[in-house]
Amino acid sequence: MAWTVLLVLFTMPTFAGTLDRAGMERQFPAPLVVGERDEAVPVWPILKQEAGAYEIFAYAFESIDLAPIPGFGGTPPNLLVALTPDGSFRDVKVLSHHEPVFLEGLGSEPLFAFVEQYVGLSARRTIRVGRPSARANGASPLAVVDGISMATASTRVINESILAASLAVARQKLGFGAAGKAGLKVEAKQDLYEPRSVAELIERGLVKRVVVTNGEADAAFKGTAVEGQGEGSLEAPLSDLVIAYLNVPTIGRNLLGEERFAALMRELGPGDHAILVVSTGPLNPLGEDFILGSIPDRLTVIQDGLAVNARDMAIERRGGGVEGLPAGPWTILKMVQQAGFDPSAPWTLTQKITRERGQILVERVSREFAAGYALPANLFDREVPEAAATWFDSWKARGWELGLITASFFLLVPVLVRQRGLVADQTRFTAFRLAFLAFTLLFIGWYAQAQLSIVTLVGLVRVAVTNGDLSFLLYDPPSLLLWAFVLATLVVWGRGTFCGWLCPFGALQELAARPAKALRLRQVTVPPSLDRGLRFVKYGVLAAILGAAALASPLADSFSEIEPFKTAITLYFVRTPAFVAYAVGLILLNLFVYKAFCRYLCPLGAALALGGRLRLLDWIPRRAECGSPCQLCKVRCRYGAIAPSGEVDYAECFQCMDCVTIIHDPTQCVPQVVARKRGRTLAPQPMAAE
């Protein structure tokens, strides 16, 4: 066992990018040039020559390096993403994936077409997977890409991988977007205003004054090549800044006056922000060569540890400084809504002070001085964007499906619990069972795509030997809901609740067998010794699949194809002829050997049979006469789950309830028929599990 664990640990995959420089150059051939890979973040700058100089054409990276989100195969998809300097998607390509629905199913072409939709969209916007009719207009912070109807959960994982990786690069390279803030809208309440002087605003903390003295600057440069270059007394200010967030009326109107404040608000777009920085000290924070409308290289707005893109608004500066403040260099910095800036949360203005030495070989040393700024949250209205790029969107979009499936659980459980109720009436119970199986096939299977599969267990094994991230389960809400119910009922009734009631392929087989019964197709009787041997095959199949998954072998995906679920349920039989023939062949075999696949081959059934050994009760009632002399239930059981002794093999029981109906029916149960003739009454009793 120890050697097996060591083998798994040494063979488990590490999620890392696959492209080296040569690989990147193949993806971005000449005239483009691949620059040096960043040491801090795994990003390759892609350069293009313009007017004799090289400019950034895009930042290229692999999603698996930055957002290794496991897909439904248990391993993360890997996508090559190229972001332009303004945050738009230049290119998105699939490098590798293990999504079961695209492996020998739909094929990879639909997935390639899906990711092509991102080209031209902006990482500054929230992107959601939805329907074509749900597309947002160009001004909306929300963008929608068309999903794939039979791969909804997989496309959401792909979308999350692209966005999470892109935002990580954007924060490091493009200066915008804390994760989760794309589309965030925070606006100052315009109806809150109090007339205040500049001194009162500073006293109340609505306006911030920050002073850096010569002594503080000298201390910061101590031990460097430019130490001791300060001039004047140590207590004298070198930099004296006044900082103000102007959107709040109590601040902006008092500093700018009514007309200039109103003009500023008109010039700002919805959700944009303006910050005033005025210098009253000897050091000009903008620099003598500052160009209006550019991004100041000496002033940086930082929030949550990330730099926010703040650009000078190029407002007319004639007439000196801003009204109500001392004269001096000033700027109004603008941050657009998509930058993710939240003025209701604390932020920092960083001023860079540079000193230099030498005239020919100039040596420059810079130090940054930060000033914190925070305003009361009650001055703002916050509009939080929909969490469309996360798993939560999957649950919100499929709420009514989850509600209907949950309602079916509430309908099924009382029927199974109250054995003397509907179950005891064979005619009514048969009608109920057929209706429920039709619901399982048509809604749970073909519509909601909630066919449980061994693929989920493969994904769990792969995750267990890698990063332990189970988030991929959250992208398929109906299946996760079904798993929760199946696991809960497993400890009560065993595997039968799923295999007999909630498996769409199982329902398809049972419904297909009804006409065969009416046509009197002769059933093939499997000899008892052969039947017992064949039942162990499914456990061998289960071991092979999970073993291959633990060893990170691609054979796990191939072995999983023994399940016909993908063909018959997920893809509606729209697949290559070999897979369709296999699925149809199993259904035809079922007409002669009832549910042969479920009994002998199904790896998921094997896993549930093993888990079902934890059940609390042997819940099927038995009598002393069961097995000796009465054999009626054994003969009627189409699954062969009742031994000649009358004992029920719960690992093979599919909870069809036929034997329960018989034992409660005084006209069918042989001991009851005999007892009634003798004027006695028999009461069956469930037996406690040993």
Side-chain angles (χ1 to χ4, degrees):
M1 180 65 181
W3 286 107
T4 302
V5 173
L6 288 175
L7 180 61
V8 168
L9 290 176
F10 281 108
T11 57
M12 72 182 195
T14 55
F15 297 144
T18 59
L19 296 180
D20 55 11
R21 170 177 289 280
M24 277 292 175
E25 288 175 344
R26 287 192 294 270
Q27 297 291 336
F28 301 96
L32 299 177
V33 176
V34 178
E36 293 298 325
R37 189 173 188 261
D38 195 297
E39 295 181 359
V41 57
V43 175
W44 299 81
I46 309 300
L47 309 175
K48 184 178 182 180
Q49 192 171 22
E50 294 284 352
Y54 283 99
E55 296 184 354
I56 296 292
F57 175 77
Y59 292 100
F61 53 91
E62 295 178 66
S63 65
I64 204 167
D65 284 328
L66 299 157
I69 301 173
F72 280 81
T75 57
N78 190 22
L79 302 110
L80 176 64
V81 182
L83 276 184
T84 64
D86 68 357
S88 298
F89 290 101
R90 179 80 68 183
D91 197 6
V92 180
K93 294 180 180 178
V94 179
L95 295 178
S96 65
H97 72 90
H98 290 84
E99 294 305 290
V101 72
F102 297 113
L103 293 173
E104 298 295 340
L106 294 172
S108 294
E109 287 74 15
L111 179 57
F112 298 158
F114 170 76
V115 300
E116 287 176 0
Q117 297 177 85
Y118 289 83
V119 176
L121 298 180
S122 174
R124 296 175 183 268
R125 304 170 69 186
T126 300
I127 300 176
R128 185 175 68 187
V129 178
R131 302 179 304 275
S133 59
R135 286 193 176 277
N137 59 47
S140 170
L142 175 68
V144 177
V145 292
D146 300 341
I148 302 173
S149 61
M150 291 175 282
T152 303
S154 292
T155 52
R156 292 186 191 279
V157 171
I158 297 289
N159 181 63
E160 187 70 7
S161 301
I162 294 172
L163 295 184
S166 299
L167 285 175
V169 172
R171 292 195 297 272
Q172 296 290 331
K173 293 294 184 182
L174 309 182
F176 74 83
K181 286 190 175 181
L184 174 67
K185 191 173 183 179
V186 182
E187 293 185 339
K189 297 179 179 178
Q190 296 301 304
D191 57 343
L192 297 181
Y193 171 72
E194 298 178 6
R196 298 288 178 181
S197 66
V198 173
E200 288 175 324
L201 292 173
I202 293 175
E203 182 181 354
R204 296 182 61 186
L206 300 180
V207 171
K208 183 83 171 182
R209 184 174 183 182
V210 184
V211 177
V212 177
T213 65
N214 287 320
E216 291 171 335
D218 287 347
F221 286 102
K222 188 175 182 179
T224 69
V226 293
E227 179 181 358
Q229 289 189 3
E231 298 179 358
S233 66
L234 297 179
E235 294 76 18
L238 172 64
S239 171
D240 190 347
L241 302 183
V242 175
I243 308 168
Y245 177 76
L246 295 177
N247 295 53
V248 173
T250 300
I251 302 173
R253 284 173 60 181
N254 283 308
L255 294 181
L256 305 180
E258 292 284 352
E259 292 185 6
R260 297 181 73 178
F261 176 75
L264 175 67
M265 292 298 102
R266 288 194 298 269
E267 187 167 346
L268 290 175
D272 294 349
H273 311 279
I275 294 174
L276 172 69
V277 181
V278 179
S279 173
T280 60
L283 183 66
N284 182 353
L286 299 176
E288 301 301 331
D289 55 353
F290 177 71
I291 300 173
L292 298 184
S294 65
I295 298 175
D297 60 357
R298 299 186 184 183
L299 296 174
T300 306
V301 176
I302 296 177
Q303 189 169 57
D304 297 329
L306 305 172
V308 181
N309 195 343
R311 183 178 296 274
D312 176 72
M313 289 189 68
I315 291 177
E316 176 60 54
R317 282 168 161 77
R318 285 182 297 181
V322 177
E323 184 179 342
L325 291 172
W330 61 272
T331 180
I332 294 180
L333 301 175
K334 175 183 177 180
M335 288 154 292
V336 297
Q337 176 187 337
Q338 290 83 358
F341 178 69
D342 182 1
S344 65
W347 53 273
T348 299
L349 183 75
T350 298
Q351 178 185 10
K352 182 170 68 174
I353 298 178
T354 302
R355 290 180 177 177
E356 59 184 45
R357 186 184 71 171
Q359 295 181 349
I360 299 176
L361 297 176
V362 179
E363 183 176 1
R364 295 182 177 87
V365 180
S366 299
R367 291 292 182 266
E368 293 183 344
F369 298 83
Y373 191 94
L375 293 174
N378 60 5
L379 296 177
F380 301 92
D381 290 320
R382 292 173 56 88
E383 182 179 334
V384 181
E386 294 183 10
T390 68
W391 59 264
F392 179 76
D393 182 64
S394 306
W395 292 77
K396 183 177 179 180
R398 308 189 72 176
W400 76 273
E401 297 175 34
L402 300 176
L404 188 55
I405 293 174
T406 302
S408 72
F409 296 161
F410 280 102
L411 176 64
L412 178 62
V413 169
V415 170
L416 300 180
V417 170
R418 297 183 68 252
Q419 295 186 3
R420 288 187 177 274
L422 183 61
V423 176
D425 188 325
Q426 186 171 24
T427 301
R428 292 171 56 212
F429 178 70
T430 300
F432 171 80
R433 179 165 174 79
L434 291 177
F436 198 95
L437 291 177
F439 170 80
T440 295
L441 174 62
L442 298 176
F443 185 79
I444 293 179
W446 282 335
Y447 185 86
Q449 293 284 287
Q451 168 74 66
L452 300 191
S453 168
I454 192 64
V455 169
T456 303
L457 300 186
V458 169
L460 291 175
V461 170
R462 284 172 170 164
V463 163
V465 297
T466 52
N467 61 359
D469 185 358
L470 300 177
S471 61
F472 72 95
L473 297 172
L474 298 172
Y475 290 86
D476 190 3
S479 295
L480 186 57
L481 177 63
L482 200 62
W483 272 114
F485 180 77
V486 169
L487 293 177
T489 57
L490 201 62
V491 299
V492 180
W493 292 302
R495 72 177 280 195
T497 307
F498 171 73
C499 295
W501 292 90
L502 294 168
C503 176
F505 186 74
L508 175 59
Q509 291 180 92
E510 186 161 342
L511 292 172
R514 300 295 295 187
K517 185 176 182 181
L519 293 173
R520 300 182 182 276
L521 293 182
R522 186 175 180 179
Q523 295 287 298
V524 175
T525 301
V526 181
S529 58
L530 178 59
D531 177 72
R532 286 192 296 271
L534 290 175
R535 291 181 185 183
F536 288 101
V537 173
K538 59 180 176 286
Y539 297 103
V541 174
L542 173 66
I545 293 173
L546 297 187
L551 296 175
S553 170
L555 289 176
D557 298 315
S558 300
F559 291 164
S560 296
E561 290 293 346
I562 197 170
E563 287 185 336
F565 304 163
K566 185 193 301 182
T567 301
I569 305 301
T570 306
L571 301 177
Y572 313 110
F573 292 99
V574 181
R575 208 175 178 191
T576 55
F579 288 104
V580 174
Y582 173 66
V584 172
L586 289 176
I587 295 173
L588 294 176
L589 176 63
N590 159 72
L591 304 183
F592 301 96
V593 181
Y594 191 64
K595 288 194 173 180
F597 170 78
C598 304
R599 294 160 60 188
Y600 303 137
L601 291 177
C602 182
L604 180 60
L608 294 177
L610 293 174
R613 296 185 180 277
L614 300 175
R615 73 185 185 284
L616 301 177
L617 294 173
D618 287 353
W619 55 273
I620 297 178
R622 301 279 82 193
R623 289 193 173 92
E625 296 85 356
C626 292
S628 178
C630 183
Q631 294 284 309
L632 181 61
C633 288
K634 174 189 175 300
V635 172
R636 293 276 186 88
C637 182
R638 293 173 292 177
Y639 301 97
I642 299 179
S645 63
E647 183 181 359
V648 177
D649 184 355
Y650 286 91
E652 300 299 324
C653 175
F654 284 65
Q655 207 170 358
C656 68
M657 307 296 281
D658 285 349
C659 61
V660 178
T661 299
I662 292 172
I663 207 167
H664 286 300
D665 188 348
T667 65
Q668 291 191 75
C669 180
V670 176
Q672 285 198 78
V673 172
V674 173
R676 187 174 59 178
K677 289 181 178 180
R678 296 176 180 178
R680 294 187 295 113
T681 302
L682 297 179
Q685 299 291 331
M687 298 182 294
E690 297 180 0

